[in-house]
Amino acid sequence: MKNYLKFLVLLLCISCENDSNESIEMAQVDQATIATHIERLASDEFLGRKPFTEGEVLTVNYLKEEFEKLGLLPGNGDSFFQDVPLVEIDGTPSETMVISGKNGSFDLGVLQDFVATTNKVETEVSLENSELVFAGYGVVAPEYGWNDYEGIDWKGKTAVVLINDPGFQSGDSSLFKGNEMTYYGRWTYKYEEAARQGAAGLIIIHDTEPASYGWNVIESGWTGARLVIASDLPLLNVESWISGESAQKMFAASAMKGQDYKALARDKNFNPIPLDLNVSVSIENKIKKDVSKNVVAMIPGTDRKDEVIIYSAHWDHLGVGKAIEGDSIYNGAVDNASGTAGLLALAEAFKKGEATKRSIVFIALTGEEQGLLGSAFYAENPIFDPKKTVANINMDALDSPGKMKDLTITGYGHSEMDIYAEEAALEQGRYIIPDPEAEKGYFFRSDHFNFAKIGIPALYASGTYEGFDKSKEEIKAYNDFYRINKYHQPADGYNIETTELSGVQLDLQLFFSVGMKLANEDYFPKWYDGSEFKAARE
């Protein structure tokens, strides 16, 4: 109730502020501009836009030139680029992962049954008869009184864990956040925590529903060359996934045979369980150190130039990979040529409109597909003072089969950015809703997360639920088809005859409206009490 009252008061304040700014020209985001840039960025010419490839060179130069054509200034001193030092690890796992125990051993096949990677900058890493221990969800969360690693010396051992967190499908809204995924449910956290515990390796059990994607996404996303930021933090020798079928085989051969491992993992009193099994797998690596680039452009404000609103989108995708139906280029039209094109279309709209009091910054980020690397580097090395960064508006995978009635806010309830989005949606005859699939953890899966981690209120939203001309059922079928058949696949391409962009234009117009309001007032949106990001801002 307290936050709701704040919501109403601020909405009235914003409305009053807007009444005084009625003379500000509200330019229109051009749908033809969006189409032009998506078509170009998602073309085969750009080779799937993977960092450290010719595709990166083409992409970042294209973005720089387009920002220059619009009359934007370099956003990093006199440069449009922020160098992001990365390490490329091109790993080749052994053909098999060997699971052995008292009753014999069996092999899991690479890609079909398991994937294995590493963030260690070493030419070879391995697990040699490493003891397997089931560690539930792999969570250490003091605020929930939860520790899945307690009571075991993890040195040399490999943890086996479930994806997502204990609240998922528990039926208990007080267990973590119920069906809404916390960061503890993300694979990135699980690898980080296992390394902090001193384990040698971690195996995550794949399950389509709690992961929110199928095994095909694991195959494409955890194979071939990958990028990391060089770090002094603890690292695992091997980071791995195994299929659900392989996990069943493993548990059947273990000391837990016949037990419901999912039910055990959800018990608050869970303790790690040795499986009486060992694992062996190795990875040979080719190491390459190089520099990728974030592309940064800006429109200076007239009165308070040092206060900025940041629009962000990641320019990268998966490059050239495993051929599917004869196509090996992962063009990433939706993910994320759409958001990158949105940056350019918004920049064009701001240049057409009247000058703003605060500065507007556009950042096309590298390495999102590799683990939000470009935004993580920016968060550690911000170009603009985070305390004077008013807000971040992030765009990732903008897609709809038409104009949408809803604006679905991922991370709803964290900050007053909800209120700005609400007002802009109402102006378009739309309504806002929290993410109805919060269990999929989308809040932690795009670059706004790293801005939020350093205290910058972030808006991550798009129309995804109900169309003006299409039913909720039709929209769900559309979204499901993309997730199953196109997400992180070569099929995510651009077709000028079938791609509908009216809904994308409507979302971008809303983001423009929100940015215009923020850029012409002196208020800083706040985090709500209870948000884990509030402390960083304060």
Side-chain angles (χ1 to χ4, degrees):
M1 178 61 72
K2 184 178 179 181
N3 282 343
Y4 180 70
L5 291 174
K6 281 185 180 178
F7 186 105
L8 293 177
V9 170
L10 185 57
L11 186 57
L12 288 171
C13 291
I14 294 172
S15 298
C16 292
E17 179 78 26
N18 292 340
D19 289 342
S20 66
N21 287 327
E22 284 181 355
S23 62
I24 295 172
E25 180 183 348
M26 192 61 70
Q28 294 299 301
V29 176
D30 191 333
Q31 187 170 316
T33 297
I34 303 166
T36 296
H37 292 307
I38 294 178
E39 183 176 21
R40 186 73 189 282
L41 289 163
S43 67
D44 285 354
E45 175 191 358
F46 284 72
L47 299 169
R49 305 188 308 280
K50 188 171 184 178
F52 284 17
T53 69
E54 180 61 24
E56 165 165 10
V57 176
L58 292 168
T59 302
V60 298
N61 286 334
Y62 176 81
L63 294 173
K64 171 183 178 291
E65 290 165 6
E66 292 301 316
F67 281 130
E68 284 181 314
K69 287 177 187 177
L70 291 169
L72 273 69
L73 299 181
N76 188 17
D78 60 358
S79 176
F80 281 94
F81 300 128
Q82 180 185 37
D83 287 347
V84 182
L86 297 174
V87 181
E88 180 183 80
I89 304 175
D90 190 352
T92 303
S94 51
E95 289 296 315
T96 59
M97 173 183 281
V98 180
I99 307 294
S100 58
K102 297 176 183 177
N103 299 319
S105 65
F106 59 90
D107 295 347
L108 302 180
V110 69
L111 294 185
Q112 179 181 350
D113 302 316
F114 81 95
V115 296
T117 60
T118 186
N119 284 344
K120 281 197 169 182
V121 185
E122 298 177 7
T123 55
E124 186 172 356
V125 296
S126 64
L127 300 172
E128 297 290 344
N129 288 314
S130 174
E131 181 183 350
L132 287 171
V133 180
F134 180 54
Y137 283 93
V139 169
V140 177
E143 69 274 31
Y144 294 110
W146 202 280
N147 190 338
D148 285 330
Y149 285 97
E150 193 170 21
I152 283 187
D153 178 1
W154 285 93
K155 185 177 181 180
K157 296 180 177 64
T158 294
V160 178
V161 304
L162 305 176
I163 192 63
N164 217 304
D165 65 42
F168 178 73
Q169 290 189 340
S170 66
D172 182 354
S173 61
S174 66
L175 185 60
F176 285 64
K177 290 187 178 180
N179 240 28
E180 178 182 346
M181 185 191 286
T182 64
Y183 186 55
Y184 296 118
R186 285 289 288 150
W187 58 268
T188 48
Y189 164 79
K190 295 178 188 298
Y191 290 137
E192 292 163 2
E193 187 59 54
R196 283 192 288 266
Q197 295 294 326
L202 179 72
I203 296 173
I204 300 176
I205 298 169
H206 176 260
D207 190 345
T208 296
E209 192 171 2
S212 81
Y213 39 75
W215 183 255
N216 60 331
V217 174
I218 302 296
E219 281 188 89
S220 60
W222 274 266
T223 53
R226 59 200 307 265
L227 300 174
V228 300
I229 297 175
S231 173
D232 295 328
L233 296 173
L235 296 170
L236 300 167
N237 285 352
V238 175
E239 301 178 353
S240 180
W241 289 76
I242 62 173
S243 67
E245 295 80 2
S246 299
Q248 295 290 350
K249 189 173 182 180
M250 178 183 65
F251 281 114
S254 77
M256 289 180 62
K257 181 178 181 180
Q259 297 186 60
D260 185 342
Y261 60 89
K262 292 182 180 179
L264 289 170
R266 195 171 283 134
D267 188 333
K268 189 173 183 178
N269 297 315
F270 171 85
N271 289 311
I273 304 173
L275 296 179
D276 289 342
L277 294 172
N278 297 324
V279 62
S280 296
V281 66
S282 62
I283 308 173
E284 293 184 0
N285 299 313
K286 296 177 182 177
I287 307 297
K288 176 184 175 182
K289 296 182 180 181
D290 208 335
V291 175
S292 187
K293 296 183 186 298
N294 292 330
V295 186
V296 190
M298 71 179 298
I299 302 173
T302 57
D303 295 357
R304 297 187 294 280
K305 294 181 180 180
D306 59 339
E307 296 177 8
V308 302
I309 292 90
I310 294 178
Y311 287 93
S312 62
H314 71 91
W315 60 255
D316 67 304
H317 199 52
L318 303 180
V320 180
K322 176 184 175 183
I324 298 177
E325 296 183 0
D327 188 358
S328 61
I329 298 178
Y330 290 66
N331 303 94
V334 171
D335 186 13
N336 186 36
S338 65
T340 311
L343 287 178
L344 295 169
L346 284 165
E348 179 184 66
F350 274 103
K351 289 297 290 185
K352 287 189 298 187
E354 293 187 13
T356 58
K357 295 177 181 178
R358 286 168 162 165
S359 297
I360 310 294
V361 174
F362 304 88
I363 307 182
L365 295 153
T366 185
E368 191 270 356
E369 300 290 6
Q370 308 287 328
L372 315 185
L373 301 183
S375 57
F377 184 84
Y378 180 90
E380 290 292 327
N381 304 274
I383 297 169
F384 304 95
D385 184 353
K387 292 181 180 178
K388 294 186 177 182
T389 300
V390 179
N392 166 239
I393 300 173
N394 185 52
M395 296 166 290
D396 193 355
L398 299 175
D399 186 33
S400 63
K403 294 184 178 180
M404 305 294 288
K405 285 184 181 180
D406 74 284
L407 180 77
T408 297
I409 299 179
T410 301
Y412 178 84
H414 275 287
S415 82
E416 292 173 344
M417 288 299 291
D418 296 345
I419 302 172
Y420 288 83
E422 167 92 351
E423 189 197 34
L426 289 173
E427 290 173 353
Q428 294 181 331
R430 303 168 72 184
Y431 62 89
I432 64 169
I433 59 171
D435 182 5
E437 297 182 309
E439 72 277 5
K440 292 181 168 62
Y442 291 125
F443 188 79
F444 311 106
R445 289 167 60 173
S446 194
D447 291 305
H448 59 278
F449 177 54
N450 282 321
F451 288 96
K453 283 171 72 174
I454 59 172
I456 299 170
L459 175 64
Y460 181 46
S462 62
T464 62
Y465 183 64
E466 181 182 11
F468 281 103
D469 300 315
K470 290 183 172 60
S471 68
K472 297 173 185 176
E473 292 73 22
E474 288 175 298
I475 299 301
K476 183 179 186 305
Y478 179 88
N479 292 336
D480 288 347
F481 181 84
Y482 172 79
R483 184 172 61 249
I484 295 167
N485 298 289
K486 293 186 177 183
Y487 175 63
H488 282 195
Q489 303 300 309
D492 184 8
Y494 179 76
N495 186 320
I496 193 170
E497 295 179 356
T498 61
T499 302
E500 171 58 62
L501 292 174
S502 62
V504 173
Q505 190 279 335
L506 192 66
D507 284 345
L508 289 170
Q509 191 65 44
L510 184 146
F511 301 151
F512 176 78
S513 178
V514 170
M516 183 63 79
K517 290 172 175 60
L518 288 166
N520 287 291
E521 62 183 22
D522 57 9
Y523 187 78
F524 280 75
K526 295 180 174 58
W527 294 100
Y528 289 136
D529 293 340
S531 173
E532 58 265 42
F533 306 111
K534 183 180 180 183
R537 187 61 152 186
E538 294 177 347

